[in-house]
Amino acid sequence: MLHLDLVAVPPCKGIYAVKGLDFKSLPARMRFLASDAAASFAEIEPWAVVSDMWRSPESSLQAVREGRGAQPPGWSAHGIGLAIDLDIAASKALLGVATKAALDATMERHGWFCHRRDHVLGFEAWHYNFLGVGAKVAGALTSDEVEAAILARHGAELAPDDAECQRLLAKLGMYGGEIDGDIGPRSREAARAFERAWGLNVDGVLDARTRRTLAFVARA
């Protein structure tokens, strides 16, 4: 089972606005980061104004279905506790810097790397991934590098074997058969129920995408 080392982040400066809701700080349900990312965030918190942090499986799926550009559950650094989005203008003002390049340089010293590294205020300029203090990134930060950071922490856990898939489906109340690693008709029907619920290809096949989504949704 996937074990995320998430820790709660205290109320921090931020704004979260969706469907008419406007918070002065992120809601408590979003204030979670991986433990080392949380420790680093405590150092930038005095000037970091956050617009997004942790995303639950449900919120990730909702964002995908609404076409808001999010990754499916289990495929985003936000869901693993390794990403934040910043209000760039407000963060620069509190940090006391004039340029996005200066903000990015400070973030990188704390282990946070902008998804795009040209310092241009365009798409994804607000999104920062935690790769660790001292991490080196040459050129653009690719999705492959972010994926590598996720797999370095949780690769095996995101690829459960057949018996573990049965256990996870049972935990979700979708499977009541034996936990024997034999993917027969009952297991496949449980897999189809899960796939329907989570927007996957409904075929009852426990492929890599279904296994990873299952591990994330049924996480400890």
Side-chain angles (χ1 to χ4, degrees):
M1 183 180 297
L2 176 64
H3 290 77
L4 297 177
D5 64 334
L6 297 177
V7 298
V9 174
C12 53
K13 289 177 289 298
I15 183 167
Y16 176 68
V18 61
K19 292 189 176 179
L21 301 176
D22 189 351
F23 295 85
K24 298 301 182 185
S25 179
L26 289 185
R29 62 180 172 80
M30 298 175 68
R31 296 198 310 267
F32 292 93
L33 289 171
S35 57
D36 52 349
S40 174
F41 180 79
E43 299 174 355
I44 67 173
E45 187 277 329
W47 48 264
V49 181
V50 185
S51 60
D52 200 0
M53 191 175 284
W54 186 69
R55 292 181 191 158
S56 68
E58 296 81 6
S59 63
S60 295
L61 182 62
Q62 180 184 6
V64 170
R65 288 178 169 171
E66 293 176 354
R68 291 193 271 123
Q71 292 291 323
W75 295 82
S76 168
H78 278 292
I80 307 297
L82 297 174
I84 58 175
D85 292 348
L86 291 184
D87 182 304
I88 300 301
S91 298
K92 286 196 304 179
L94 286 175
L95 180 59
V97 299
T99 66
K100 177 71 160 51
L103 173 64
D104 288 351
T106 303
M107 290 289 285
E108 289 188 10
R109 286 197 295 272
H110 291 276
W112 296 91
F113 292 77
C114 185
H115 197 68
R116 58 182 297 165
R117 305 185 69 239
D118 56 9
H119 314 306
V120 174
L121 293 175
F123 181 68
E124 290 293 307
W126 53 82
H127 179 84
Y128 292 82
N129 300 285
F130 185 75
L131 302 183
V133 177
K136 303 295 182 183
V137 176
L141 178 61
T142 67
S143 296
D144 287 344
E145 288 175 296
V146 177
E147 174 71 355
I150 293 173
L151 294 181
R153 292 168 176 254
H154 302 294
E157 296 171 295
L158 289 169
D161 63 19
D162 290 347
E164 181 66 7
C165 284
Q166 290 174 322
R167 277 190 287 270
L168 297 178
L169 288 166
K171 178 185 176 183
L172 295 173
M174 293 181 168
Y175 177 67
E178 295 294 327
I179 308 299
D180 56 8
D182 181 11
I183 305 302
R186 294 185 68 180
S187 297
R188 288 194 292 273
E189 186 54 43
R192 280 191 286 271
F194 178 81
E195 289 162 346
R196 278 192 294 271
W198 290 94
L200 300 168
N201 183 39
V202 182
D203 58 11
V205 176
L206 290 168
D207 58 15
R209 181 168 289 271
T210 297
R211 291 173 191 267
R212 179 164 174 162
T213 306
L214 178 58
F216 183 61
V217 170
R219 71 198 180 282

